[in-house]
């Protein structure tokens, strides 16, 4: 296989991925006109449902425009030898292979971030603002972006520098040590994300004493779940949308409630949501997801190490000498069809875990209150109540609202 075939294979894969996503999004867009299932008839008044459809349609149009522009710019970058031009530019700065790769990838990251910035701004201050979700100020938006870039620079490029250094020192066997380092890094982030990263963006406070805390602790005690850390996060300063999540392991585990969640749901509904989150922990879903991610990372690193020094891959981008950064770019594109299949498989597993967590909440607290909480949250976020089945199968990490309600109604509610 020569470099020309590789080059056109890259363009073909990029185009097919784009067309596949376009097709799925089109199917999902069409599904917005479907009638509401009878199980969901009580969620919206007619005017509110029309508004939710308008919101999802506007998001689709905006996403379609931005993805098409990115697709065109990507193709142009390939066809106009953008990678070769960038290689020559970096070569004029340094010939050190480690620094060359870092600078090269940093420039690619910077270009992508700059292109994405106006889209992110429009999504926040036009689309989300129009439908009453956005609470972010321009100042907060800018500060958030600076913090994200700073964190990405420190964490991302520190990790990348280590991997590139290992590659230049160890050759193909670098993947083993890189895998170990990424695994340690992933476990560390899972344990300390809420205590180290979240406070940079949001304020977390202990849930105050009262009816809600007592109800949560009573439910946790009933299912044998030791819980000392219940926090409230000020999500309302950025959006009206509500959420709750579970983080950490062992003594570092904590439940985090958005203040918007507490505002919108009753005590019973909040406890039902938390029973679902505790179900994930009791069923060891967090460990399973982390383990599957680690295995997937190991497989990807191994495959990458087998082909990255192939001169045909670099010459496909008109670059004579193989390098870590060129190999990474070409491999990430050639591997994307397999990556898409792996992501689909992970979503299948994730949806199964969601059913299990729902069942745990139903069996140990209340299916009725979990259903009512899901309906309220869907209404408040203008969720698509009639998503296309194929789109759900490929892209959803959670079952659709209708599927979750049907599952919860399979047996009698536990009151």
């Amino acid at each position: 296989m020569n470099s020309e075939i590789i080059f056109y294979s890259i363009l073909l894969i990029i185009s097919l991925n784009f067309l596949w996503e376009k097709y799925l999004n089109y199917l999902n867009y069409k599904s917005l006109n479907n009638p509401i299932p009878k199980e969901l008839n009580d969620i919206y008044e007619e005017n509110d449902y029309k508004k939710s459809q308008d919101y999802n349609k506007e998001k689709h149009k905006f996403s379609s425009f931005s993805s098409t522009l990115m697709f065109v710019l990507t193709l142009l970058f390939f066809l106009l030898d953008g990678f070769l031009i960038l290689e020559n530019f970096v070569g004029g700065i340094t010939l050190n292979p480690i620094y060359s790769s870092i600078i090269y990838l940093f420039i690619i990251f910077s270009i992508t971030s700059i292109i994405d910035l106006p889209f992110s701004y429009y999504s926040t201050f036009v689309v989300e603002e129009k439908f009453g979700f956005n609470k972010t100020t321009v100042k907060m938006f800018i500060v958030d972006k600076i913090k994200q870039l700073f964190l990405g620079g420190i964490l991302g490029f520190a990790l990348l520098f280590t991997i590139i250094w290992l590659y230049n020192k160890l050759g193909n066997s670098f993947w083993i040590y890189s895998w170990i380092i990424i695994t340690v890094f992933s476990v560390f982030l899972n344990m300390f994300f809420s205590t180290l990263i979240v406070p940079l963006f949001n304020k977390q406070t202990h849930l105050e004493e009262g009816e809600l805390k007592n109800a949560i602790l009573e439910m946790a005690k009933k299912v044998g779940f030791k819980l000392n850390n219940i926090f409230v996060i000020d999500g309302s300063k950025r959006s009206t949308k509500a959420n709750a999540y579970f983080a950490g392991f062992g003594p570092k585990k904590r439940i985090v409630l958005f203040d918007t969640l507490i505002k919108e749901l009753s005590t019973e509904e909040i406890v039902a949501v938390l029973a679902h989150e505790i179900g994930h922990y009791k069923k060891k879903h967090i460990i399973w997801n982390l383990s599957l991610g680690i295995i997937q990372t190991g497989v990807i690193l191994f495959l990458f190490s087998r082909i990255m020094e192939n001169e045909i891959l670099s010459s496909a981008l008109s670059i004579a000498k193989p390098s870590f950064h060129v190999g990474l770019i070409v491999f990430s594109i050639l591997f994307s069809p397999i990556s898409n299949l792996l992501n689909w498989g992970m979503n299948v597993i994730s949806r199964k875990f969601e059913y299990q967590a729902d069942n745990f909440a139903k069996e140990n607290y209340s299916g009725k209150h979990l259903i009512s909480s899901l309906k309220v949250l869907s209404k408040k976020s203008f969720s698509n109540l009639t998503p296309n089945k194929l789109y759900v199968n490929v892209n959803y990490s959670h079952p659709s609202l209708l599927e979750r309600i049907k599952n919860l109604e399979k047996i009698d509610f536990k009151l």
Side-chain angles (χ1 to χ4, degrees), residues 27 31 39 43 107 117 124 127 132 138 173 214 221 230 233 274 297 358 380 396-397 399 402:
L27 292 178
S31 74
E39 294 90 345
I43 294 181
I107 293 174
L117 186 60
T124 301
V127 179
V138 174
S173 63
N214 291 336
K221 182 179 180 181
I230 309 173
I233 190 172
L274 294 187
T297 299
D358 281 351
K380 294 299 180 179
Y396 273 36
S397 61
L402 178 61

Side-chain angles (χ1 to χ4, degrees), residues 148-388:
Q148 290 165 10
L149 290 172
F150 182 73
L151 279 175
I154 290 180
L155 298 179
F157 280 95
L159 185 62
L160 187 62
F161 180 88
T162 303
I163 293 172
I164 295 172
W165 182 85
L166 287 170
Y167 163 70
N168 281 276
K169 294 294 182 182
L170 303 175
N172 287 345
S173 63
F174 86 99
W175 76 271
I176 300 173
Y177 301 95
S178 298
W179 189 21
I180 294 171
I181 290 171
I182 292 174
T183 298
V184 172
F185 182 74
S186 298
V187 172
F188 178 84
L189 271 187
N190 269 272
M191 287 189 67
F192 297 101
F193 180 79
S194 283
T195 54
L196 296 179
I197 306 299
V198 172
L200 297 175
F201 297 90
N202 289 91
K203 182 180 180 181
Q204 298 177 103
T205 55
H206 286 278
L207 178 64
E208 61 184 23
E209 299 294 333
E211 177 192 3
L212 177 57
K213 185 173 183 179
N214 291 336
I216 292 171
L217 292 176
E218 182 182 346
M219 182 272 297
K221 182 179 180 181
K222 175 185 174 183
V223 298
F225 182 78
K226 187 177 180 181
L227 181 62
N228 297 319
N229 298 317
I230 309 173
F231 287 86
V232 178
I233 190 172
D234 58 342
S236 59
K237 74 178 186 179
R238 288 187 178 82
S239 175
T240 62
K241 295 179 180 179
N243 200 2
Y245 65 89
F246 187 94
F249 306 110
K252 293 296 181 182
K253 67 178 182 290
R254 62 169 60 185
I255 282 178
V256 181
L257 307 172
F258 280 48
D259 55 358
T260 45
L261 186 85
I262 295 175
K263 179 182 177 182
E264 298 294 345
L265 301 183
S266 68
T267 295
E268 292 84 0
E269 288 169 338
I270 294 172
V271 177
V273 170
L274 294 187
H276 169 94
E277 297 301 329
I278 290 174
H280 281 307
Y281 187 87
K282 298 291 282 187
K283 298 290 184 180
K284 296 182 170 38
H285 295 160
I286 298 172
I287 300 297
W288 272 106
N289 284 330
L290 182 61
S291 300
L292 290 171
I294 289 171
I295 293 170
Q296 183 174 323
T297 299
V299 171
I300 292 172
L301 283 170
F302 172 76
L303 295 175
F304 178 42
S305 70
R306 297 301 98 183
I307 71 168
M308 65 178 302
E309 290 186 344
N310 191 320
E311 291 186 1
I312 296 177
L313 297 184
S314 57
S315 60
L317 300 184
S318 302
I319 298 172
K321 185 179 179 180
S323 63
F324 180 93
H325 53 274
V326 173
L328 178 63
I329 291 167
V330 176
F331 173 79
S332 63
I333 296 171
L334 294 177
F335 186 75
S336 62
I338 300 175
S339 179
N340 290 338
L341 288 175
L342 290 174
N343 289 335
W344 170 79
M346 291 293 286
N347 281 336
V348 170
I349 295 171
S350 177
R351 290 195 297 272
K352 180 180 179 181
F353 286 169
E354 293 302 321
Y355 283 131
Q356 291 177 357
D358 281 351
N359 290 338
F360 180 90
K362 175 174 60 178
E363 293 161 6
N364 291 280
Y365 187 70
S366 169
K368 181 178 74 171
H369 289 114
L370 182 57
I371 287 176
S372 62
S373 69
L374 292 173
K375 287 183 175 181
V376 171
L377 295 176
S378 295
K379 178 181 179 180
K380 294 299 180 179
S381 62
F382 285 166
S383 298
N384 182 1
L385 300 186
T386 57
N388 176 264

Side-chain angles (χ1 to χ4, degrees), residues 59-90:
K59 283 205 308 179
H60 166 81
K61 292 174 182 177
F62 173 65
S63 174
S64 179
F65 171 77
S66 59
S67 63
T68 300
L69 181 59
M70 288 299 295
F71 169 69
V72 171
L73 291 176
T74 300
L75 286 186
L76 286 174
F77 200 76
F78 274 90
L79 294 171
L80 299 177
D81 286 332
F83 292 102
L84 175 61
I85 294 170
L86 184 56
E87 181 78 11
N88 292 334
F89 174 77
V90 173

